[in-house]
Amino acid sequence: MTISAASRPTLVVLPALIKLMRPRQWIKNGFVLAPLIFSGQFLQPDAIMQACVAALLFCLGSSAAYILNDLHDVAHDRLHQEKSTSRPLAEGSVTPAQAKTLLAALYVILFVASWLLAPFVGLLIGGYLAINLAYTFVLKQQPVLDIFTIATGFVLRVYTGAVVLDVPLSSWMFITTLCLALYLAAMKRRQELLQNGAGARAALSRYSPALIDRYAKMSALAAQLSYSAFVITAKPQLGMTIPLVLFGLFRYWYVAEKLKGGESPAEALLGDWLLLLVAVLWIAACIWGLWPLPN
């Protein structure tokens, strides 16, 4: 006899609830820590604590956004070949009532934690949640706007990391983050279109593979050029990281094209050891290049 999710003990449903929060996607919130590295404050305990608190709050906020999106898309996800077995609501391991309870709990925890630890960061995450609300109900069906909305979330993460450390966000870092995020968002739409067809989502029917490819190529080129300009003009000691970024862009496209990844940037990164290695080497090279010299 099959036991429904609603009648299972809470501890049995707990793994499915954790999966509903998509913790693997929390790797995206590493963008919050970028200003910590580039400002050279990664050896200061207070700065590390502030940046980590901001990243943790973004993890809660992004999980809330994912749950709201899954509640809205549950009927559609049940018809999707992959999502019907990978998303707890779609596969039935979590009921809508349980998901709504978890969502409410996340909102409360996020509000209280933000109020006690970082009120201004809470306001920025509130803006992030508002953007995702608009994306879930309206903007994801609007071509081009959907891609820019996804990219805005990444830019907001970096901006939050700069605000919490009280450091300026350079124009080059802003442009680099935006272009990289547009590249990832375009590749996400590209893979959705190629793997699921134009009928999988209303916005996809208004795209074509050739158009999405042009968006991705333009964004990748702009990201590489702006990052190189940022390094040359502001952080010349990071010159050795430019080839790593270029390789990462190449490898990510390979993962999307040949290994059928790219629909989820986080899954693509965690699922390809070479891409993950390049990311680790880039972080290590940045820290090494920006390590404070002894007086």
Side-chain angles (χ1 to χ4, degrees):
M1 181 178 65
T2 301
I3 302 176
S4 66
S7 61
R8 293 174 189 165
T10 303
L11 290 179
V12 176
V13 181
L14 185 59
L17 291 174
I18 294 175
K19 184 179 179 181
L20 181 65
M21 294 173 64
R22 300 195 210 176
R24 288 174 66 88
Q25 299 295 327
W26 289 351
I27 194 171
K28 297 176 184 177
N29 299 313
F31 276 76
V32 177
L33 304 178
L36 177 68
I37 296 176
F38 287 113
S39 66
Q41 298 186 39
F42 48 80
L43 294 179
Q44 301 177 18
D46 288 345
I48 295 173
M49 178 63 69
Q50 291 172 340
C52 288
V53 166
L56 177 59
L57 292 175
F58 248 103
C59 288
L60 297 177
S62 60
S63 287
Y66 292 136
I67 293 172
L68 180 64
N69 179 79
D70 286 358
L71 282 167
H72 179 266
D73 290 353
V74 61
H76 177 270
D77 290 346
R78 285 171 180 159
L79 303 176
H80 191 281
Q81 182 177 0
E82 179 182 349
K83 294 177 182 179
S84 62
T85 58
S86 63
R87 294 193 175 177
L89 275 169
E91 69 180 5
S93 57
V94 171
T95 67
Q98 291 167 338
K100 290 175 183 178
T101 300
L102 177 58
L103 179 60
L106 286 176
Y107 283 148
V108 171
I109 294 171
L110 188 58
F111 174 79
V112 174
S114 298
W115 182 62
L116 293 175
L117 300 175
F120 191 69
V121 172
L123 291 176
L124 293 175
I125 295 177
Y128 168 81
L129 292 174
I131 290 171
N132 276 273
L133 181 67
Y135 174 79
T136 295
F137 287 94
V138 179
L139 298 179
K140 73 161 59 176
Q141 307 300 341
Q142 304 300 319
V144 181
L145 272 176
D146 62 331
I147 293 177
F148 270 82
T149 303
I150 295 173
T152 299
F154 287 91
V155 175
L156 194 55
R157 287 173 169 92
V158 174
Y159 177 71
T160 299
V163 167
V164 77
L165 297 177
D166 195 24
V167 296
L169 179 63
S170 73
S171 298
W172 284 123
M173 182 180 288
F174 169 79
I175 295 171
T176 300
T177 304
L178 176 62
C179 292
L180 177 60
L182 288 172
Y183 168 68
L184 296 176
M187 292 299 290
K188 174 181 175 66
R189 285 293 182 264
R190 178 185 185 275
Q191 294 310 103
E192 288 177 341
L193 181 60
L194 293 178
Q195 295 177 17
N196 306 315
R201 182 175 298 170
L204 293 179
S205 64
R206 302 175 188 178
Y207 288 123
S208 68
L211 178 62
I212 291 291
D213 276 347
R214 286 195 291 271
Y215 287 162
K217 291 173 183 176
M218 181 171 60
S219 300
L221 177 60
Q224 180 66 35
L225 290 176
S226 58
Y227 179 77
S228 299
F230 167 68
V231 168
I232 293 170
T233 59
K235 305 289 182 182
Q237 62 270 48
L238 298 183
M240 81 288 283
T241 67
I242 293 177
L244 292 173
V245 172
L246 186 59
F247 182 86
L249 293 172
F250 274 53
R251 181 66 185 184
Y252 190 85
W253 202 303
Y254 172 81
V255 170
E257 182 79 21
K258 296 298 183 182
L259 304 183
K260 307 304 180 184
E263 188 170 341
S264 168
E267 294 296 337
L269 176 62
L270 296 174
D272 184 71
W273 71 269
L274 189 52
L275 193 57
L276 184 60
L277 176 62
V278 171
V280 171
L281 289 176
W282 176 80
I283 294 172
C286 287
I287 293 176
W288 182 80
L290 296 173
W291 196 273
L293 296 176
N295 294 327

